[in-house]
Amino acid sequence: MATILDVARRAGVATSTVSHVLNRTRFVSPATTRAVQDAVRDVGYTPNILARALARSTTNTIGLAVSGSTNRYFNDIINAIEEECAQFGMMVLLVNTRDDPDEELRVVVELHQRRVDGILFAPSGDPKERALSYLTANAIPTVLVDRLSSPDFNGVGVENEQAMATLVDHLVSRGHNRIGLIAGQASFRTTQERVEGYRTGLRRGGLAIDAAIISVGHADINGARAAANSMVASRKPPTAFIGGNNLTTLGIMSALSDRHLAVPDDIALVGFDDFEWSDYFKPRLTVMAQPCQDIGRNAALRLKSLIEQPLQAIVQQRLPPTLRVRDSCGSTSCSDGRATP
């Protein structure tokens, strides 16, 4: 039996384009429309009309597919989404993707089968984009949350590149000239954007980009801890660290404790993501705080709008995070390049 992927391959277009032609959910040029229609006929593809009719009915429920079990950052967004949905009488079905591509595809399909009206989704970075392709092929109203990995979907997240560059600027202004980065999983769009922002910050600060003090791909605290320990033990250790998310920041803190290094006397530390207790940690931690409440609230509102009016232009909203300067960076530069408190 022919599938939408067969049609896309035959027409030489993306599956999202085929879906837009079949469902009339977005303008497609006449030439491309004809190519898709010809491909539908050539491969013998038959759209599931019954499935479409069921998908258009409403259940006043939405699906929320995120990795919420290990990352407190997502927990704050989840709470905001649930609060917002409760105000307009919608129930949220929360499923944990565990940031596993196979699991996220399974739960997205199950949410669709349970006839949710739409889905809020934080993609894992599956190189095959199977869940995203499924959402497109079935014309499911979808808003990406945090990880805006595809321009074909609506989304709400933060401005990552400039924010990370600002963290680098802050450390450079305090005399640090060797700044290490421990970042999250490489497949995540947020990680990619923050690494690029880090490089931008180094370049405009006149600093070299040294692969020896950049470590990407950490899914938990222990991995980040090992990477930071290795950098600190090297011949040319960093004078400062940036944690690419809350888990990597905790990993760095553990490594510095292992080495009996004091912050900021011996080394500086900043993080991307705030903690409830950051203002009470000694020294108080400088962070780039993300607007979790606004991300969740705006994502829920955007999905509600798409459910009510599917034929809308795609909007990806980037919210600005806030630099919260505390005490963990040091200040005046010393002759050896290490900053002093």
Side-chain angles (χ1 to χ4, degrees):
M1 180 180 294
T3 68
I4 194 171
L5 291 175
D6 297 323
V7 176
R9 293 192 187 102
R10 180 81 174 193
V13 299
T15 55
S16 58
T17 302
V18 176
S19 177
H20 289 312
V21 170
L22 296 179
N23 296 293
R24 299 179 182 179
T25 49
R26 185 172 164 185
F27 173 78
V28 180
S29 71
T32 301
T33 298
R34 284 193 298 274
V36 170
Q37 291 170 341
D38 290 344
V40 168
R41 183 187 63 250
D42 293 344
V43 304
Y45 175 68
T46 303
N48 191 331
I49 304 300
L50 176 59
R52 286 190 194 175
L54 289 173
R56 289 193 182 102
S57 66
T58 58
T59 60
N60 287 326
T61 60
I62 66 167
L64 175 54
V66 300
S67 178
S69 61
T70 60
N71 195 333
R72 180 53 190 267
Y73 162 72
F74 273 124
N75 289 348
D76 293 337
I77 292 177
I78 290 168
N79 290 337
I81 288 170
E82 289 180 330
E83 290 174 5
E84 191 65 32
C85 288
Q87 292 186 29
F88 43 77
M90 298 193 76
M91 178 177 290
V92 178
L93 299 183
L94 173 63
V95 290
N96 183 8
T97 67
R98 299 183 179 86
D99 281 330
D100 176 82
D102 292 331
E103 181 67 9
E104 77 175 7
L105 176 60
R106 184 188 70 80
V107 298
V108 163
V109 171
E110 286 199 4
L111 286 172
H112 182 215
Q113 291 173 344
R114 291 175 185 273
R115 296 180 57 203
V116 295
D117 296 334
I119 294 179
L120 296 169
F121 180 40
S124 69
D126 179 7
K128 296 181 181 179
E129 296 189 337
R130 289 170 294 169
L132 292 176
S133 295
Y134 182 90
L135 291 165
T136 298
N138 289 278
I140 301 170
T142 302
V143 174
L144 304 184
V145 180
D146 181 61
R147 303 166 186 167
L148 309 188
S149 56
S150 171
D152 294 329
F153 288 85
N154 287 268
V156 181
V158 298
E159 200 299 304
N160 288 297
E161 290 190 28
Q162 183 56 44
M164 180 60 83
T166 298
L167 278 176
V168 176
D169 292 343
H170 183 70
L171 289 169
V172 170
S173 72
R174 276 146 181 78
H176 295 286
N177 58 17
R178 189 161 175 77
I179 301 169
L181 172 68
I182 310 291
Q185 296 191 59
S187 62
F188 294 170
R189 184 60 183 162
T190 48
T191 299
Q192 296 162 9
E193 292 170 352
R194 290 171 194 175
V195 171
E196 185 56 37
Y198 165 80
R199 294 173 179 271
T200 297
L202 292 182
R203 284 192 292 265
R204 71 189 186 194
L207 302 182
I209 298 173
D210 186 351
I213 55 173
I214 303 173
S215 185
V216 180
H218 302 290
D220 56 29
I221 294 173
N222 290 333
R225 179 181 186 177
N229 260 309
S230 178
M231 289 185 195
V232 170
S234 67
R235 187 175 61 85
K236 294 181 63 178
T239 68
F241 271 115
I242 299 177
N245 57 34
N246 52 12
L247 296 178
T248 57
T249 300
L250 287 170
I252 294 168
M253 292 170 65
S254 297
L256 299 183
S257 177
D258 294 340
R259 298 281 170 174
H260 304 290
L261 294 174
V263 177
D265 296 33
D266 298 319
I267 194 166
L269 173 63
V270 300
F272 206 116
D273 285 344
D274 206 358
F275 303 91
E276 289 181 356
W277 43 265
S278 291
D279 210 25
Y280 303 97
F281 175 67
K282 292 184 179 180
R284 298 180 309 147
L285 192 62
T286 292
V287 296
M288 189 64 74
Q290 301 191 66
C292 296
Q293 289 289 324
D294 290 339
I295 291 173
R297 183 182 305 111
N298 290 4
L301 288 171
R302 183 60 184 161
L303 184 58
K304 180 175 182 291
S305 176
L306 286 176
I307 292 168
E308 294 172 347
Q309 299 180 32
L311 301 181
Q312 297 187 45
I314 292 173
V315 175
Q316 292 199 340
Q317 185 180 17
R318 296 276 188 168
L319 303 177
T322 302
L323 177 62
R324 293 181 178 165
V325 178
R326 299 184 179 115
D327 308 321
S328 62
C329 299
S331 54
T332 308
S333 177
C334 294
S335 59
D336 67 354
R338 190 176 294 275
T340 59

